[in-house]
Amino acid sequence: MSIPYNYSMYESDDLNVKVKEVKGIISYSDDELLFEYKVYDAMGNGLSNLSKFAIHIDNIKKMKYKKGFLFTGGKLIVEADKWAFLEPLPGSVQGKIKLNVKRRDKGEAIRLSTKLNLYMSQKRLDEMDRE
């Protein structure tokens, strides 16, 4: 299961504001989320090579899909247990990243979010049973 995403980042110095666009794919394997992405400038020129980043599912606090307006996609919000776990991803803020998902990929994003949340709930129940 892989879902394309994009989001914008803004960097500013004293005189200029630079807009960067991140485009990539998030995928789910047995025990980790894999982010593959490239960074582009406002004109669409590539600023980076293809980068890959994986986070173990046990380090994710929650994931949810937030609906957008009519005829638009939504946002897939990934939140980690600690800030450092999502720090390598450009645009992550305080251990949270918001990925824009197109409308056609809405179903896949909801399924990924639901599957991950069910896994985390089952893991918590298993831990409670052990105690």
Side-chain angles (χ1 to χ4, degrees):
M1 173 184 309
S2 60
I3 303 163
Y5 66 86
N6 67 337
Y7 58 92
S8 297
M9 299 184 320
Y10 303 97
E11 294 179 355
S12 63
D13 55 16
D14 292 338
L15 301 174
N16 301 347
V17 175
K18 295 179 184 175
V19 178
K20 294 182 180 178
E21 183 78 16
V22 178
K23 296 179 182 179
I25 293 176
I26 184 172
S27 56
Y28 171 74
S29 69
D30 295 332
D31 58 350
E32 65 184 13
L33 278 178
L34 177 65
F35 295 85
E36 298 177 77
Y37 61 91
K38 281 181 123 179
V39 180
Y40 298 90
D41 65 5
M43 304 301 284
N45 300 318
L47 298 176
S48 72
N49 293 328
L50 181 65
S51 301
K52 294 181 181 182
F53 170 72
I55 182 170
H56 198 275
I57 290 183
D58 293 339
N59 297 326
I60 294 175
K61 183 176 176 182
K62 68 179 171 180
M63 176 185 258
K64 72 177 185 175
Y65 179 80
K66 185 176 178 183
K67 289 195 298 185
F69 292 109
L70 230 56
F71 305 115
T72 63
K75 293 187 184 296
L76 191 59
I77 302 168
V78 181
E79 192 172 337
D81 286 341
K82 297 181 180 158
W83 290 11
F85 291 134
L86 288 179
E87 191 65 31
L89 285 174
S92 67
V93 177
Q94 298 179 347
K96 185 187 285 189
I97 187 106
K98 296 179 181 179
L99 311 171
N100 297 328
V101 177
K102 292 188 177 182
R103 185 172 179 234
R104 69 173 177 252
D105 299 313
K106 173 184 172 182
E108 287 288 319
I110 291 171
R111 278 191 287 284
L112 176 64
S113 172
T114 303
K115 190 174 190 178
L116 188 67
N117 287 321
L118 283 172
Y119 171 82
M120 291 185 294
S121 297
Q122 185 64 44
K123 190 181 97 176
R124 287 187 199 115
L125 285 173
D126 292 343
E127 288 173 1
M128 290 170 62
D129 284 345
R130 283 186 222 132
E131 293 176 356

